[in-house]
Amino acid sequence: MTRTAVVTGASSGIGEATARALAAQGYHVIAAARRMDRLAKLAGEIGGTAAELDVTSQASVDALAAALPPELQVLVNNAGGALGLEPIEAADEAHWVGMYATNVLGLMRVTRALLPALKAGRGHIVNITSIAGREVYVNGAGYTAAKHAAVAVTKTLRLELNGLPVRVTDVAPGLVETEFGLVRFDGDADRAAAAYKGMTPLVAEDIAECVAWAVSRPWHVNIDEIVVRPVAQATVSLVARDKGL
Ligand code: 8X3
C-alpha cells in the first residue's frame, strides 16, 4: 500500500530536506509550497508530486485537500518563518500579522483540511515549531508569540485527537542554516549570515532526520516533542561564538 506524506513549505530548507527523508523511507511525498519551479525539480528527484500551496489562502488549501488520496499517513506542517526583528515599541504590524498568518493560521488551516484523511489513514501530524515557541528574546516578540501559539495549537490538537488514530509531534529547532534569515531580514544576506557567525548551525537534514525518526516509531509510540539545537546554542540568544563549536 502506498504511504502518502504531505510536507508544506517544501521548496527549500527543512521542508525540502524532510520531503527527501520521507521519500527515502518509501513515502509518496506531496511537496507543497508556493514556488512551483523548485517543487517540480524536487518532486522529479524524489518521485513525488509537486503541489502549489499558499497556507494563507483557504482556496489554495482546499485545492490541495481535494487533490489528495482519501487516506494520508503523514502531514508535516513546516510552512512558516520569521519576519523582522524589532522591539514591541517599534512593532511592524504587517510583520506580526504575516507571522501569525503562516505559523499559526496556516498550520490550523492545513490541519483542519487534512484531518479527515489523516484519521482515515492512521496519520501522523508533525508540526515544525521552534525553540522560539519555548523561549522569548529581546526584539523577537512577533515571532516568539506566533511560535508559542503554534506550540499551544499542537498541544491542544493532541488533546482533541485523544482516542483517535492520529499521532502528533512537535519538532522544535534552534538555529538552522536555511533561507530563514534571508526571509526574516528581507533578503539582507549580511544580516542573515551574522546569526551563524563563529559557530556551526544545524543543517536542514538534522531536522529532517528528527521528523523521519518520529514518524518511523512503532505505531503505539507518540513522540510528543523534540527540541534540537546546535551545540553552541544554549538559548535563542546565548550562542557561543569563535570557540570551535
Ligand atoms: C528559529 C530559532 O534560534 O534561529 O526558529 O531563533 S532561532
Side-chain angles (χ1 to χ4, degrees), residues 19-181:
R20 291 184 191 280
L22 294 178
Q25 283 193 350
Y27 287 92
H28 179 84
V29 176
I30 298 172
R34 286 170 301 184
R35 294 177 289 186
M36 277 304 275
D37 50 337
R38 289 182 180 227
L39 286 181
K41 185 167 176 291
L42 170 66
E45 287 170 18
I46 64 174
T49 302
E52 191 163 11
L53 175 68
D54 174 358
V55 299
T56 68
S57 157
Q58 186 61 49
S60 177
V61 173
D62 287 345
L64 171 72
L68 292 178
E71 296 187 7
L72 185 61
Q73 281 69 47
V74 174
L75 165 62
V76 182
N77 281 308
N78 166 71
L83 297 171
L85 187 69
E86 64 269 332
I88 295 163
E89 189 173 5
D92 180 326
E93 197 168 318
H95 282 164
W96 284 56
V97 170
M99 287 187 279
Y100 203 84
T102 54
N103 293 291
V104 188
L105 298 179
L107 185 158
M108 172 278 290
R109 208 173 274 120
V110 175
T111 304
R112 180 175 63 187
L114 272 49
L115 256 176
L118 286 158
K119 286 188 206 168
R122 292 170 82 82
H124 192 154
I125 300 167
V126 182
N127 291 341
I128 308 297
T129 65
S130 170
I131 59 171
R134 291 160 170 79
E135 304 171 16
V136 296
Y137 57 97
V138 171
N139 299 340
Y143 183 58
T144 58
K147 284 300 192 185
H148 275 71
V151 171
V153 171
T154 306
K155 286 180 169 171
T156 308
L157 197 53
R158 201 176 294 113
L159 302 183
E160 292 177 357
L161 295 177
N162 181 245
L164 295 169
V166 182
R167 304 193 289 188
V168 179
T169 297
D170 174 353
V171 175
L175 271 168
V176 187
E177 190 163 15
T178 61
E179 292 177 359
F180 176 86

Side-chain angles (χ1 to χ4, degrees), residues 210-236:
C210 293
V211 177
W213 178 77
V215 303
S216 59
R217 293 312 85 211
W219 172 253
H220 66 283
V221 178
N222 191 92
I223 304 298
D224 277 16
E225 303 179 355
I226 302 176
V227 181
V228 52
R229 316 168 193 258
V231 173
Q233 185 180 38
T235 72
V236 172

